[in-house]
């Protein structure tokens, strides 16, 4: 199971992909473009003079990010969804949405169909494509 610090670091990466750069994310948060906090957290940098301790995002910073970006409270604390990780246009998202809309009794059939699609096909000459 992931720790809250690991989840928040993953969500930070999702935000960085959305904003493109740390500088743009910092600006959206009202911080200076060169503020090092998010970079230090993302890279899991060690804190000077604190042994093995690394920079982490505390509750106050997580709530500030959510508030300033208009995200739901607690968003930084929940693992990223497939959509956040893969992007909205990824076909795997469509498969997941279809599966979520199906009755649980249909899941085994859907899994068999997907499994059949992944099997190599045999050509008329006996070779495998």
């Amino acid at each position: 199971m992931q720790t809250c610090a690991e989840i928040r670091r993953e969500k930070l990466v999702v935000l960085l992909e959305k904003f493109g750069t740390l500088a743009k994310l910092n600006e959206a948060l009202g911080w200076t473009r060169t503020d090092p906090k998010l970079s230090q957290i993302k890279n899991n940098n060690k804190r000077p003079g604190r042994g093995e301790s690394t920079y982490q995002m505390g509750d106050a910073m997580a709530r500030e990010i959510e508030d300033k970006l208009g995200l739901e409270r607690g968003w930084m604390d929940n693992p990223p969804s497939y959509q956040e990780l893969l992007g909205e246009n990824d076909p795997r998202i469509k498969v997941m949405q279809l599966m979520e809309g199906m009755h649980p009794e249909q899941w085994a059939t859907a899994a068999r169909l997907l499994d059949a699609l992944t099997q190599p096909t045999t050509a008329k000459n006996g070779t495998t494509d």
Side-chain angles (χ1 to χ4, degrees), residues 66-91:
E66 292 163 353
D67 290 344
K68 288 186 175 181
L69 298 181
L71 301 168
E72 183 178 343
R73 186 167 182 81
W75 184 86
M76 292 295 298
D77 301 333
N78 291 289
S81 66
Y82 286 112
Q83 191 167 358
E84 290 169 335
L85 290 172
L86 302 172
E88 293 189 25
N89 296 323
D90 192 293

Side-chain angles (χ1 to χ4, degrees), residues 15-127:
L15 290 174
L16 287 171
E17 289 176 11
K18 177 181 178 181
F19 284 88
T21 66
L22 275 167
K24 288 179 182 176
L25 178 55
N26 279 334
E27 280 183 337
L29 293 168
W31 302 344
T32 62
R33 289 177 54 85
T34 57
D35 191 309
K37 289 186 296 252
L38 296 178
S39 177
Q40 292 165 332
I41 293 167
K42 176 187 165 282
N43 296 324
N44 208 26
N45 291 354
K46 291 194 186 321
R47 297 181 67 169
R50 302 249 182 133
E52 294 299 310
S53 177
T54 59
Y55 287 96
Q56 296 188 12
M57 183 183 300
D59 291 342
M61 183 185 289
R63 300 298 81 84
E64 179 182 357
I65 291 170
E66 292 163 353
D67 290 344
K68 288 186 175 181
L69 298 181
L71 301 168
E72 183 178 343
R73 186 167 182 81
W75 184 86
M76 292 295 298
D77 301 333
N78 291 289
S81 66
Y82 286 112
Q83 191 167 358
E84 290 169 335
L85 290 172
L86 302 172
E88 293 189 25
N89 296 323
D90 192 293
R92 292 172 288 185
I93 299 303
K94 178 67 174 173
V95 171
M96 293 299 294
Q97 289 170 338
L98 290 169
M99 291 290 294
E100 288 171 352
M102 296 172 81
H103 191 278
E105 293 175 1
Q106 298 172 307
W107 293 346
T109 302
R112 284 193 304 275
L113 288 169
L114 288 171
D115 187 51
L117 286 171
T118 63
Q119 301 303 314
T121 57
T122 305
K124 289 183 181 180
N125 64 3
T127 61

